[in-house]
Amino acid sequence: MANDSDNIHDFFSIPGRSSLPPDIRGELESIMRLHSVSAQELFFKWESYSIKMGSEDTQLDLKTVRAFKKDVQEILERDTRGKAHMRSGEKRSVHATPLAAPGNGDAYGMLDGLTPGTPRAGTTNGAPKRKAAFETPAAPKVSRSTTKSSPTDGRSNMVESKGLSNGTTVVPFVDRQNAGQVIESLNNHLNTPEPPIAPPAEPRIKLTANTDLKKFFYKPMAMHLSEASEVLDDRIDEFMTFVQSHHNLEDSAFGNAASKGTSEIVAVGRIASDTQEGKLNVASLVLETSRRTGAGLRVPLKVDALASQEFFPGQIVAIRGINASGEYFSAREVLDIPLLPPAASLPGTLDIVNERVGLVETDNSDSASSALNVIVSSGPYTTDDNLDFEPLHALCERASETYADALILIGPFFDIEHPLLASGDFDLPNDPSIEPDKATLTDAFRIMIGGPLRRLAQAVPSITIILVPSVRDAVNKHVSWPQEPFAKRELGLPKQAKTVSNPVTISLNEIVVGISAQDILGELRQQEVKVGSPSESNMLARLPRHVIQQRHFFPVFPPVNRAQLPKAATEEGLATGVPLDISYLKLGEWHNVRPDILLLPSALTPFTKVVESVLVVNPGTISKKKASGTFSQLTIYPRKVANEERAAGSTMVGHKLFERARVDVVRI
């Protein structure tokens, strides 16, 4: 327990502070002693508690830690009562072999009801006796009649009949507080223009897919080990080429980290752990080489000489060091991985875009009216107690009122971790086009999700709607990541809706946007190992930098074990996790340029930051398990071309989107 107490700071570090306050540390150690849990187990309970309470409102202070301590105690008491009730039920259900009453002459009741005067088993004087219920009763199905009797205008509190695992009460969406409140803003010196009187006559956004979507229609669950190993090896070899070109190194500068030698070399490999269980730490670091450079061997990595560095499983690194003993590779320096160049366009291309958005190039022109209005949200789109999808309706209403130019919806939509969908115990929408005996989830999606989107498209014909699937989507047959797009025709989506893959890189006019529905920031948060003082104290700025430097939407390998993730609200309680198809991991790589906007939805606190000239946005989830969530609204001003840039002719002009885009994180 003493070692776990020393590790508390590693799991519960507060940005900007070198150590935890004594009162907070004391409360955390008290929880560990009372419940006999390790620092890692306590951290997982804290992550689950933060998600339950709303990540942006849960800060690590004394008041919150005491509330967390009380919550842990209450959950333990509920579990204890439940186990005691089950044990008492089992004791009552054990009976001896029943013997017949005197005079019946039938010990086992074989003649019950067959001969006159012989009563049936379980009857007294011929009257039927109520059968004892020894089995666990099934949860009652919620019908439309019961939902209409609810006092909340036809919205039943299904959490009472279904029983959430934590036993807390879901806040009805209509009773949410601070709707429309801006909780974080970037570039707030830029004004948000007033909505126009009427929507534009033509779409102001031209959507282009920079990803070959056809490659995502591969056959899942058909992975070959040889193909997977080649993909992992090729990634190491590619990064060696990047490092050699960036640092002007000779071929002789590189070597095998697993081989004993007296000269210093540069070794390129993948960070891994020496054990399959437990969290990566400094003592368990190993460097995995490729088959071409090191026969695929792994060598322990000693990083004591490094002043500041962060590692995570799957990270490709170039390390200068020496293996003098043949037992471990001693790192002296970690070489920088070169970044991809920023996105840029020709001045003529920007002129065409500015004309499309309505910008008139004059000396005193006001570009506020030509600014694009883009709304971004991430699922789930309904709380755990119902399938009303009220947050989605409110979001579509917001897009309709502000005449949004683009609405980017990131899954999951029909979440397989939703307790009602997981159990299959819910009512179908009341629609004449659905036949109850033949209905599928696709039919329910067409009404519950497609209906609001079709009405939005009718109200704002110029809008562009983009749907990104998630591995937790029940209506997407592709079960692995990378993931193919939704089947647009089957889901009844309007013509303004475009379905793309997960992940995907698209262009909205000149703006390059990278999107991934997988929570890579949460994975990095759990698996990151810090050596020395971190180079960036702000975790929310440090984690996206790993994604940008690694040129991949999901650079972590292997992902976090499902059993270590926060529990789902289903009966099994096991989270979906990240079902990676390693053979197709190259579909998640970045090519040519860094994106202008990087959309990475996560269970972490919603935020927006500029990292390496990339505008990184975590919109948060629009609906939490028991409350409403957040979304992001982007106001993007046009890129004006200066006379000097125009005079250069064919020279590419940087987009500099982080200077001309305002981002607001808003409560739905």
Side-chain angles (χ1 to χ4, degrees):
M1 185 62 70
N3 294 333
D4 287 332
S5 299
D6 296 337
N7 293 332
I8 285 183
H9 178 72
D10 296 337
F11 291 100
F12 293 91
S13 59
I14 301 178
R17 305 188 67 165
S18 58
S19 62
L20 285 174
D23 50 356
I24 296 179
R25 185 184 182 95
E27 291 290 345
L28 294 175
E29 292 178 349
S30 174
I31 300 175
M32 293 169 58
R33 288 194 301 270
L34 288 174
H35 302 286
S36 300
V37 296
S38 64
Q40 185 179 22
E41 291 175 308
L42 184 63
F43 171 72
F44 292 148
K45 291 179 182 293
W46 168 256
E47 290 282 293
S48 178
Y49 176 77
S50 299
I51 295 173
K52 179 176 70 174
M53 301 306 296
S55 298
E56 74 276 5
D57 296 330
T58 308
Q59 304 295 331
L60 190 62
D61 52 30
L62 183 59
K63 180 180 178 181
T64 307
V65 169
R66 287 177 175 172
F68 168 58
K69 181 179 181 180
K70 182 179 179 182
D71 183 78
V72 172
Q73 182 65 29
E74 290 177 351
I75 293 177
L76 177 63
E77 292 176 355
R78 283 196 300 270
D79 292 343
T80 303
R81 289 195 299 266
K83 292 178 181 178
H85 177 71
M86 291 177 62
R87 287 195 297 268
S88 63
E90 292 173 357
K91 291 179 181 179
R92 289 193 299 268
S93 63
V94 178
H95 297 275
T97 303
L99 297 177
N104 284 347
D106 184 16
Y108 297 98
M110 298 176 62
L111 302 178
D112 286 351
L114 298 179
T115 58
T118 304
R120 294 182 183 273
T123 62
T124 304
N125 297 328
K129 183 178 180 181
R130 184 173 59 89
K131 186 177 180 180
F134 297 121
E135 299 178 354
T136 303
K141 183 174 178 63
V142 180
S143 63
R144 293 189 181 92
S145 60
T146 57
T147 59
K148 291 182 179 179
S149 63
S150 173
T152 57
D153 191 21
R155 299 178 180 88
S156 64
N157 189 4
M158 295 184 186
V159 67
E160 294 182 1
S161 59
K162 298 298 173 186
L164 290 181
S165 58
N166 49 32
T168 55
T169 304
V170 177
V171 178
F173 184 78
V174 293
D175 297 335
R176 68 192 188 280
Q177 298 180 354
N178 303 321
Q181 178 188 10
V182 177
I183 62 175
E184 184 173 347
S185 188
L186 178 70
N187 291 336
N188 54 9
H189 63 279
L190 299 175
N191 296 325
T192 302
E194 293 293 329
I197 301 176
E202 297 292 336
R204 299 200 302 164
I205 286 181
K206 180 181 179 181
L207 176 64
T208 306
N210 300 334
T211 301
D212 189 356
L213 300 182
K214 294 181 180 179
K215 293 183 178 180
F216 288 82
F217 291 89
Y218 63 89
K219 183 179 180 181
M221 302 179 68
M223 181 173 58
H224 299 283
L225 290 179
S226 59
E227 295 178 358
S229 62
E230 289 176 1
V231 169
L232 296 176
D233 274 355
D234 290 346
R235 182 164 169 80
I236 297 177
D237 295 337
E238 288 175 0
F239 270 71
M240 181 181 294
T241 305
F242 301 152
V243 171
Q244 183 176 12
S245 176
H246 180 71
H247 293 278
N248 298 319
L249 299 174
E250 300 292 336
D251 292 341
S252 58
F254 296 91
N256 180 9
S259 298
K260 181 179 179 180
T262 57
S263 59
E264 196 174 64
I265 62 171
V266 175
V268 180
R270 177 180 292 103
I271 294 295
S273 176
D274 62 359
T275 177
Q276 296 182 355
E277 299 179 357
K279 185 177 183 293
L280 181 70
N281 54 59
V282 175
S284 63
L285 284 173
V286 296
L287 185 68
E288 179 183 301
T289 62
S290 68
R291 285 178 292 186
R292 185 172 70 87
T293 60
L297 297 175
R298 288 184 172 185
V299 58
L301 192 60
K302 189 175 182 180
V303 294
D304 298 342
L306 300 179
S308 175
Q309 189 64 40
E310 296 86 33
F311 297 104
F312 60 87
Q315 179 184 17
I316 307 298
V317 293
I319 301 178
R320 191 189 303 275
I322 187 173
N323 187 350
S325 64
E327 296 180 355
Y328 60 85
F329 187 75
S330 181
R332 185 179 67 84
E333 178 189 6
V334 177
L335 303 182
D336 293 333
I337 302 295
L339 300 177
L340 287 169
S345 301
L346 292 171
T349 303
L350 295 177
D351 290 338
I352 297 174
V353 171
N354 292 341
E355 182 180 357
R356 182 182 301 119
V357 299
L359 177 66
V360 180
E361 290 288 351
T362 60
D363 294 338
N364 298 322
S365 61
D366 181 15
S367 58
S369 60
S370 56
L372 293 177
N373 177 16
V374 179
I375 296 178
V376 181
S377 69
S378 175
Y381 289 87
T382 187
T383 52
D384 281 358
D385 65 322
N386 63 68
L387 290 175
D388 294 335
F389 291 95
E390 294 169 299
L392 177 63
H393 287 266
L395 186 70
C396 291
E397 183 178 354
R398 171 80 176 230
S400 177
E401 292 174 351
T402 59
Y403 295 122
D405 294 291
L407 175 62
I408 302 177
L409 302 175
I410 306 172
F413 296 90
F414 267 26
D415 189 1
I416 58 177
E417 293 186 5
H418 193 288
L420 300 183
L421 288 173
S423 66
D425 191 10
F426 63 93
D427 288 331
L428 294 171
N430 188 11
D431 190 273
S433 63
I434 295 182
E435 298 182 28
D437 296 337
K438 301 180 180 180
T440 64
L441 285 179
T442 302
D443 297 323
F445 186 101
R446 188 176 67 251
I447 305 302
M448 296 179 175
I449 304 295
L453 297 183
R454 289 192 296 270
R455 290 189 290 272
L456 172 61
Q458 292 176 355
V460 189
S462 61
I463 194 172
T464 300
I465 304 173
I466 302 170
L467 283 82
V468 184
S470 165
V471 294
R472 287 163 49 184
D473 268 304
V475 295
N476 194 307
K477 63 181 180 181
H478 215 93
V479 296
S480 57
W481 190 98
Q483 189 178 18
E484 69 178 28
F486 285 121
K488 178 180 176 180
R489 182 177 301 178
E490 298 176 3
L491 301 179
L493 299 173
K495 66 177 183 180
Q496 290 88 339
K498 312 295 180 183
T499 59
V500 296
S501 59
N502 172 33
V504 70
T505 302
I506 59 176
S507 289
L508 304 179
N509 292 338
E510 86 285 4
I511 306 165
V512 180
V513 184
I515 311 173
S516 176
Q518 206 61 47
D519 187 359
I520 179 59
L521 300 181
E523 295 267 342
L524 289 170
R525 173 67 179 87
Q526 292 198 40
Q527 303 218 51
E528 184 188 39
V529 174
K530 296 181 284 293
V531 177
S533 59
S535 57
E536 171 61 62
S537 60
N538 190 327
M539 179 192 67
L540 299 181
R542 187 175 67 248
L543 299 182
R545 182 171 283 108
H546 293 320
V547 180
I548 297 172
Q549 289 176 342
Q550 293 291 299
R551 307 181 178 193
H552 201 282
F553 284 106
F554 200 90
V556 173
F557 181 82
V560 178
N561 192 318
R562 297 169 62 190
Q564 298 177 357
L565 294 173
K567 290 187 176 181
T570 59
E571 183 178 353
E572 295 80 7
L574 190 62
T576 305
V578 189
L580 288 181
D581 196 313
I582 305 173
S583 301
Y584 293 90
L585 280 183
K586 291 184 71 68
L587 295 177
E589 292 182 351
W590 297 2
H591 302 285
N592 303 325
V593 297
R594 277 174 279 164
D596 294 310
I597 303 176
L598 185 58
L599 302 180
L600 298 177
S602 172
L604 299 179
T605 303
F607 69 90
T608 172
K609 293 188 180 297
V610 178
V611 182
E612 302 291 357
S613 301
V614 178
L615 183 59
V616 183
V617 180
N618 170 23
T621 57
I622 196 170
S623 175
K624 297 181 174 60
K625 294 180 181 297
K626 291 168 288 299
S628 58
T630 59
F631 68 95
S632 293
Q633 184 161 6
L634 286 71
T635 304
I636 304 175
Y637 283 71
R639 172 64 162 94
K640 295 183 179 181
V641 182
N643 294 331
E644 298 80 8
E645 296 171 331
R646 197 181 303 278
S650 59
T651 303
M652 303 288 281
V653 176
H655 295 164
K656 298 181 179 179
L657 185 87
F658 57 90
E659 296 179 351
R660 55 187 177 94
R662 170 176 177 150
V663 184
D664 296 319
V665 179
V666 189
R667 295 184 187 274
I668 186 61

